[in-house]
Amino acid sequence: MTKPVYGRVALIGLGLIASSMFWAIKRAGLAGEVTGYARSQETRDTARKIGLCDRVCESAAEAAEGADLVVLCVPVGAMGGVAQEISPVLKPGATVSDVGSVKRAVIDAVAPHLPEAVHFVPAHPLAGTEHSGPQSGFAELYDNRWCIVVPADDDTDAEAVARLRSLWEGMGANVDQMDADHHDLVLAVTSHAPHLIAYTMVGVADDLRRVTDSEVIKYSAAGFRDFTRIAASDPTMWRDVFLNNKEATLEILGRFTEELFALQRAIRTGDGDHLFDYFTHTRAIRRGIIEAGQDTDAPDFGRGAKKP
Ligand code: NAP
């Protein structure tokens, strides 16, 4: 057991990310008490039933009152409203953080509501599954994954940043720090645009299925199955990601379209060298990800060995 990093932590929103945080905090004894709140009675009842949080509250303000750290774990589009609701009860010297997949829009929505005496240290754990809700979390979700800490501005209290970093390290994550705009561009490349492409590919195949009956499902063992897994991600979360990281996502999709046209031309003109060189280069990138410990090189993505 590690020494607690915070006396009381409040988790607002009790889905995949918050529930995994709770189990990881408990695993390492990182907080004295964890309170929680979710919008629906159903989620709050489920949380109580499965022992998610030491105390499940009936409002976000009740959960946040007296907390040393409040983490907003709701969809990006709901962050500003929650910040407004909890701001009157925040303890002076407390830290507010969030786990949103987009950072600039969250800072713009949340910061104006926070009192002077409260530190705001946004963060984004680069870990997830296609499942959501209070029962989808598990303590190991953040093990050896990155968490990017994005201080709201240059004047953010260094002690508050260091403490939040310790919490994420205690939950198993490797912590990095960058500014909000850089974060949003990096994530547009590594996560947001790929999700949009997966959604599109599954949509295209669905159209095709009407022509070829069940063949798309029947023979989906290869690449397509991985697209369907990504495209099963939560619709609310991903709607909010695209609406709130518009500029960076559109920039990357523009580049993607140019590359796609170049490959299309190579196929049309029979330019095998272009295709071979391109695929050799992308294969090396995959090798780099495995060497960095961010994925397994087991055949079939190690499906048999991984947690569901
Ligand atoms: P989730 O499983 O769908 O859970 C979202 C939670 O937020 C639910 O408990 C929901 O309550 C609550 N909620 C929604 N709107 C609310 C509101 N207006 N006020 C109060 N609570 C509200 O979502 P998640 O996957 O944990 O994602 C949470 C955040 O983490 C998002 O900002 C997302 O961008 C970010 N994130 C997600 C992933 C991922 O892969 N899933 C990875 C990194 C970061 P009800 O259950 O009562 O509706």
Side-chain angles (χ1 to χ4, degrees), residues 12-18 37-40 43 73-76 78-79 82 99-102 124-129 131-134 136 234 237 241:
I12 312 296
L14 293 174
L16 169 71
I17 297 299
Y37 168 76
R39 178 182 50 172
S40 69
T43 299
C73 305
V74 299
V76 165
M79 298 273 183
V82 174
V99 293
S101 308
V102 174
H124 177 202
L126 305 191
T129 73
H131 302 293
S132 45
S136 57
D234 187 66
M237 168 184 158
V241 166

Side-chain angles (χ1 to χ4, degrees), residues 90-114:
L90 290 172
K91 186 164 102 172
T95 294
V96 170
S97 185
D98 77 291
V99 293
S101 308
V102 174
K103 297 278 56 116
R104 175 59 63 199
V106 169
I107 291 172
D108 289 348
V110 170
H113 298 295
L114 300 184

Side-chain angles (χ1 to χ4, degrees), residues 31-102:
E33 188 195 19
V34 180
T35 58
Y37 168 76
R39 178 182 50 172
S40 69
Q41 187 66 52
E42 188 187 347
T43 299
R44 297 197 296 274
D45 288 346
T46 303
R48 288 187 183 109
K49 202 165 78 195
I50 64 174
L52 172 61
C53 294
D54 299 316
R55 189 156 54 87
V56 177
C57 301
E58 287 301 304
S59 73
E62 186 192 338
E65 192 161 15
D68 302 290
L69 172 71
V70 181
V71 190
L72 311 182
C73 305
V74 299
V76 165
M79 298 273 183
V82 174
Q84 185 172 21
E85 190 188 333
I86 62 170
S87 77
V89 303
L90 290 172
K91 186 164 102 172
T95 294
V96 170
S97 185
D98 77 291
V99 293
S101 308
V102 174

Side-chain angles (χ1 to χ4, degrees), residues 279-299:
F279 303 155
T280 303
H281 181 63
T282 53
R283 181 181 236 190
I285 292 170
R286 169 76 191 157
R287 226 172 276 135
I289 290 172
I290 290 161
E291 278 162 23
Q294 293 300 303
D295 206 349
T296 170
D297 67 349

